[in-house]
């Protein structure tokens, strides 16, 4: 299966570099290029790509607005958004995750990591940079905003005890293999529980499941680090 990618970045040289990199892969192709968020929204509706590689900071309509529009469009339910930004720990990135983005990478990512990230997100998994995830959660994801109300605790009542347990461990940053080892089950069993929780909570992917875990209070955001002694 070929992964159809839409590039959204205001830097033409960067888009050209990404296009060359992606088009060299047999399992990927670039179906369009957008220089701002408005163009990204229009091209996503036209091409219905599997993945949008989205820059956050663009002139005019920014990547956050575009991400919100794309993720809210029922016709684009199969389209994933991967945020690419120079600001890994950034309130805009947190808002994009709330809006439905499936993850983010820093612009200093290697070519191999970028291609792997595209494949990961296109497959339906989430991609949260290990460097920034904990800080991002502590600073932003657990904080309610008027545009993104908290996932209330009773919303999780549809989950089984095991699904809640695995959801919490995923929100703490553990991989499926790590969860499986801790619970003495197979990684496939963990994956099944994660997907059942996503289905019951109508979460687009694992990234939104993480947001819901913190916003509902299932998992508490870690306290900020104290001063160095």
């Amino acid at each position: 299966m070929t992964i159809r990618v839409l590039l959204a970045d205001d830097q033409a040289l960067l888009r050209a570099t990404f296009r060359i990199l992606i088009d060299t892969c047999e399992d990927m192709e670039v179906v369009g290029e957008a220089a701002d968020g408005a163009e990204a929204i229009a091209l996503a509706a036209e091409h219905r790509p599997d993945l949008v590689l989205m820059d956050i900071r663009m002139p005019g309509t920014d990547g956050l607005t575009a991400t919100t529009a794309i993720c809210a469009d029922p016709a684009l339910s199969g389209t994933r958004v991967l945020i690419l930004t120079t600001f890994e720990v950034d309130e805009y990135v947190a808002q994009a995750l709330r809006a439905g983005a499936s993850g983010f990478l820093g612009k200093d990512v290697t070519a191999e990591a970028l291609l792997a990230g595209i494949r990961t997100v296109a497959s339906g998994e989430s991609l949260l940079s290990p460097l920034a995830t904990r800080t991002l959660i502590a600073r932003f994801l657990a904080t309610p905003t008027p545009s993104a109300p908290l996932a209330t605790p009773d919303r999780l009542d549809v989950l089984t005890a095991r699904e809640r347990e695995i959801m919490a461990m995923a929100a703490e940053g553990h991989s499926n293999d790590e969860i499986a080892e801790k619970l003495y089950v197979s990684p496939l069993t963990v994956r099944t529980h994660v997907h059942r929780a996503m289905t019951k909570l109508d979460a687009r992917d694992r990234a939104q499941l993480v947001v819901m875990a913190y916003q509902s209070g299932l998992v508490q955001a870690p306290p900020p680090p104290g001063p160095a002694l």
Side-chain angles (χ1 to χ4, degrees):
M1 186 183 83
T2 300
I3 302 170
R4 303 169 69 253
V5 180
L6 171 64
L7 303 176
D9 196 296
D10 62 320
Q11 299 180 47
L13 180 59
L14 197 57
R15 294 199 310 272
T17 302
F18 288 152
R19 175 182 280 276
I20 292 170
L21 177 63
I22 291 170
D23 283 345
T24 59
C25 299
E26 293 184 356
D27 62 336
M28 299 182 196
E29 66 172 331
V30 174
V31 297
E33 295 184 28
D36 60 36
E39 193 174 7
I41 295 169
L43 289 177
E46 177 183 351
H47 295 290
R48 299 192 181 187
D50 299 304
L51 181 140
V52 181
L53 191 60
M54 181 80 74
D55 185 21
I56 281 284
R57 296 170 183 261
M58 294 183 286
T61 303
D62 63 21
L64 174 60
T65 302
T67 296
T68 302
I70 290 169
C71 294
D73 187 346
L76 296 175
S77 60
T79 297
R80 300 286 181 255
V81 176
L82 175 58
I83 301 297
L84 194 65
T85 178
T86 54
F87 302 91
E88 281 200 75
V89 181
D90 190 299
E91 185 175 2
Y92 291 113
V93 175
Q95 291 178 22
L97 289 176
R98 287 192 188 111
S102 295
F104 63 96
L105 286 171
K107 281 192 174 179
D108 58 350
V109 67
T110 65
E112 292 77 11
L114 175 64
L115 295 175
I118 291 173
R119 293 185 179 102
T120 296
V121 172
S123 72
E125 297 297 325
S126 64
L127 187 69
L128 303 179
S129 168
L131 174 66
T133 300
R134 287 194 177 276
T135 305
L136 185 70
I137 288 168
R139 288 179 59 186
F140 303 120
L141 294 188
T143 305
T145 66
S147 60
L150 284 171
T152 56
D154 59 346
R155 187 174 181 186
L156 273 57
D157 289 348
V158 296
L159 302 182
T160 65
R162 178 64 91 180
E163 288 164 355
R164 290 166 65 95
E165 181 181 24
I166 289 177
M167 177 178 174
M169 295 177 75
E172 290 168 349
H174 298 293
S175 68
N176 286 353
D177 287 345
E178 290 170 341
I179 296 172
E181 184 176 352
K182 289 176 180 292
L183 298 181
Y184 302 103
V185 297
S186 72
L188 178 60
T189 297
V190 173
R191 182 183 176 88
T192 299
H193 283 301
V194 169
H195 279 271
R196 284 177 180 167
M198 285 165 47
T199 299
K200 290 180 179 180
L201 297 175
D202 197 27
R204 287 175 65 95
D205 54 29
R206 194 184 185 104
Q208 280 206 327
L209 204 65
V210 169
V211 174
M212 289 179 178
Y214 281 92
Q215 290 190 330
S216 67
L218 177 64
V219 178
Q220 297 298 315
L229 299 177

